[in-house]
Amino acid sequence: MKRLELPGFSFRVTPDSTIGGCPIEALDIPPRVSHPPDASPRYDLLNFRLRTKLDCSHFQRGQKVLVDRIICSL
């Protein structure tokens, strides 16, 4: 999930965050994505996963979705 580019704002996934009505949980590991050409790590991304593996059947690879119930702080 890519963070919004809004200076001064911070967004995070909460215990009641969902995607398409399916609960998700945040992962405290850095994303395995890098900026070309120097392959420096990207820290503007968040990692999360569906809480229930069975919910995977509701989504397709590459599908764009919105995260519901995220917290924004200044």
Side-chain angles (χ1 to χ4, degrees), residues 17-74:
S17 294
T18 62
I19 294 176
C22 300
I24 60 172
E25 60 187 357
L27 299 175
D28 291 331
I29 57 174
R32 296 180 190 163
V33 177
S34 59
H35 288 289
D38 64 350
S40 60
R42 289 188 62 174
Y43 296 107
D44 61 335
L45 301 175
L46 297 172
N47 274 325
F48 61 87
R49 67 177 169 207
L50 293 166
R51 282 196 201 147
T52 307
K53 267 190 160 182
L54 294 174
D55 286 338
C56 291
S57 64
H58 298 286
F59 304 97
Q60 297 176 19
R61 183 173 292 199
Q63 178 180 350
K64 292 183 180 183
V65 295
L66 293 175
V67 178
D68 295 315
R69 298 184 190 125
I70 58 173
I71 288 186
C72 172
S73 57
L74 298 172

